[in-house]
C-alpha cells in the first residue's frame, strides 16, 4: 500500500567524517541552499548525523541560522543513564544535550562493532524510553540476497524491533532499509527491488502496529541526486539515508529536493 501521505525524511549519515572545519562549511553551505530555496518540515524532514564530538557545534550552527535541519546521533550506548562506562554516550545524555534523533542498527555497527541483536534491543529500548526518535536500520548482505534470504533477514530484523517497541512508541520509529551490498559501493538496488522490499516491510509492520501506514521507510545505499528522483517516485520509499553524497551540500540538498513533497 502506498505510504504517500507520509512526510519524507532525508538524513545524511556523515559516518567518521569530516574534520571540524569541513563540517562547519558543510552546514553553512546546506543552510545557504535552504535559504535560497527552502524545503519546509511539512515537505521533508532533513537531518544530519555528524561525529559525536561535532553534534553540539553543528546543532549551534543550525540553531543560529534558524535552520529546519535536525541533528541526529549516529549511535548511542547500550547502557542507560550515567555511570562508569568509559567512552559511552547514553540516551539520557543525548536528550540532555537536546539531541532528539538517533540511528540504531546501522550495518557498520552490526558488522564491525559487534552490535548484536541483544545490544540493538538495549539501545532501542533506552532511546525510546527517553523519547528519542529512532532511525532503525535493516538490510541483508549480498550473500543473503544471493541465497534468496533477503526478505527473511529483513523481516527478522523488523521482528527484533517489534519485540522492544511499545504500542505508544511506534510514532517514534523511522525504518531505513539499506541493503549492505549497496552501501558505499556505488551499487543501488533498482527502484523496483527497493520498492518490493519496502512493501514487504510495510506489510510486516501492518501485522504489528496500527502505525504501519504512517511509518516512514527510508532507502539507503549509494543514493545520489542522479537516482533520487526515481527512488522518490516509489510509493513505499519515504525518504533516504544518505552516506557519501551527504558530505557534499549540493548533492545532499538535491536529494532532499527530490524527496520533498510539493506543496498542495
Ligand atoms: C549509509 O551509510 O547509511 C549509506 C547509505 O551510505 P552510502 O550512501 O555511501 O551508500
Amino acid at each position: 500500500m502506498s505510504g504517500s501521505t507520509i512526510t519524507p525524511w532525508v538524513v545524511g549519515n556523515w559516518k567518521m567524517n569530516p574534520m571540524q572545519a569541513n563540517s562547519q562549511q558543510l552546514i553553512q553551505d546546506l543552510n545557504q541552499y535552504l535559504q535560497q530555496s527552502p524545503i519546509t518540515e511539512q515537505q521533508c524532514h532533513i537531518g544530519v548525523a555528524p561525529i559525536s564530538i561535532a553534534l553540539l557545534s553543528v546543532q549551534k550552527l543550525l540553531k543560529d541560522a534558524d535552520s529546519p535541519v535536525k541533528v541526529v546521533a549516529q549511535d548511542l550506548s547500550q547502557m542507560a543513564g550515567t555511570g562508569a562506562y568509559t567512552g559511552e554516550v547514553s540516551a539520557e545524555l543525548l536528550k540532555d544535550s537536546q539531541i532528539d534523533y538517533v540511528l540504531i542498527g546501522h550495518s557498520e555497527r552490526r558488522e564491525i562493532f559487534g552490535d548484536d541483536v541483544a545490544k540493538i534491543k538495549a539501545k532501542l529500548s533506552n532511546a525510546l524510553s527517553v523519547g528519542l526518535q529512532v532511525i532503525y536500520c535493516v538490510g541483508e548482505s549480498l550473500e543473503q540476497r544471493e541465497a534468496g534470504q533477503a526478505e527473511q533477514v529483513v523481516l527478522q530484523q523488523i521482528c527484533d524491533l517489534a519485540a522492544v517497541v511499545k504500542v505508544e512508541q511506534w510514532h517514534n520509529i523511522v525504518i531505513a532499509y539499506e541493503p549492505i551490498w549497496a552501501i558505499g559501493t556505488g551499487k543501488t538496488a533498482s527502484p523496483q527491488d527497493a520498492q518490493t522490499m519496502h512493501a514487504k516491510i510495510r506489510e510486516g509492520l501492518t501485522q504489528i502496529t496500527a502505525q504501519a501506514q504512517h511509518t516512514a521507510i527510508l532507502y539507503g545505499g549509494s543514493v545520489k541526486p542522479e537516482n533520487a528522483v526515481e527512488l522518490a517516485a516509489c510509493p513505499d520509499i519515504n525518504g533516504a539515508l544518505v552516506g557519501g553524497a551527504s558530505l557534499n551540500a549540493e548533492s545532499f540538498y538535491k536529494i532532499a529536493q527530490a524527496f520533498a513533497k510539493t506543496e498542495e
Side-chain angles (χ1 to χ4, degrees):
M1 185 174 291
S2 166
S4 60
T5 58
I6 298 168
T7 301
W9 288 72
V10 171
V11 176
N13 176 14
W14 292 0
K15 311 193 187 191
M16 202 167 75
N17 300 290
M19 295 296 172
Q20 291 283 1
N22 294 338
S23 78
Q24 307 226 338
Q25 190 61 52
L26 189 46
I27 290 298
Q28 278 160 8
D29 293 346
L30 184 58
N31 283 343
Q32 211 165 5
Y33 281 108
L34 286 165
Q35 275 155 12
Q36 276 161 9
S37 189
I39 298 174
T40 65
E41 288 200 71
Q42 290 68 42
Q43 290 177 286
C44 184
H45 301 295
I46 303 176
V48 291
I51 52 170
S52 59
I53 48 172
L55 283 169
L56 297 187
S57 58
V58 165
Q59 181 188 57
K60 182 165 181 348
L61 278 178
L62 292 169
K63 200 170 169 207
D64 290 350
D66 208 14
S67 170
V69 176
K70 303 168 193 305
V71 187
V72 181
Q74 292 181 15
D75 190 32
L76 83 175
S77 181
Q78 78 217 70
M79 309 309 293
T82 54
Y85 303 110
T86 304
E88 294 292 283
V89 178
S90 67
E92 286 81 354
L93 292 172
L94 288 175
K95 197 72 188 163
D96 184 54
S97 291
Q98 285 88 52
I99 305 296
D100 294 324
Y101 307 88
V102 64
L103 299 179
I104 296 182
H106 192 281
S107 60
E108 286 154 16
R109 299 283 338 158
R110 292 181 194 257
E111 292 202 321
I112 307 171
F113 299 103
D115 279 16
D116 57 15
V117 174
K119 269 193 202 170
I120 288 171
K121 284 184 176 172
K123 289 179 178 192
L124 285 167
S125 159
N126 293 347
L128 292 169
S129 71
V130 301
L132 294 178
Q133 178 101 32
V134 171
I135 299 162
Y136 174 69
C137 305
V138 298
E140 80 286 358
S141 65
L142 186 58
E143 210 181 12
Q144 289 164 331
R145 174 156 283 256
E146 285 175 349
Q149 296 166 346
E151 195 182 307
Q152 184 195 329
V153 167
V154 169
L155 291 180
Q156 179 56 52
Q157 290 166 336
I158 297 295
C159 288
D160 298 340
L161 173 71
V164 175
V165 185
K166 300 189 177 123
V167 177
E168 68 280 10
Q169 293 173 332
W170 276 100
H171 70 277
N172 273 340
I173 297 291
V174 169
I175 291 172
Y177 167 59
E178 301 202 301
I180 299 170
W181 47 270
I183 296 179
T185 57
K187 288 183 199 154
T188 323
S190 69
Q192 295 71 21
D193 283 349
Q195 165 57 29
T196 301
M197 185 62 89
H198 282 231
K200 289 279 173 212
I201 293 171
R202 197 172 309 282
E203 197 183 300
L205 288 174
T206 306
Q207 330 235 332
I208 298 167
T209 166
Q211 283 288 318
Q213 302 308 323
H214 307 287
T215 303
I217 307 174
L218 320 185
Y219 171 77
S222 300
V223 177
K224 32 191 187 275
E226 295 75 20
N227 57 25
V229 173
E230 229 189 324
L231 288 163
C234 299
D236 287 295
I237 300 185
N238 315 117
L241 183 54
V242 187
S246 71
L247 293 170
N248 177 289
E250 187 183 5
S251 299
F252 185 57
Y253 174 78
K254 282 186 176 161
I255 294 169
Q257 251 187 343
F259 280 95
K261 284 196 214 168
T262 44
E263 234 125 33
E264 283 114 42

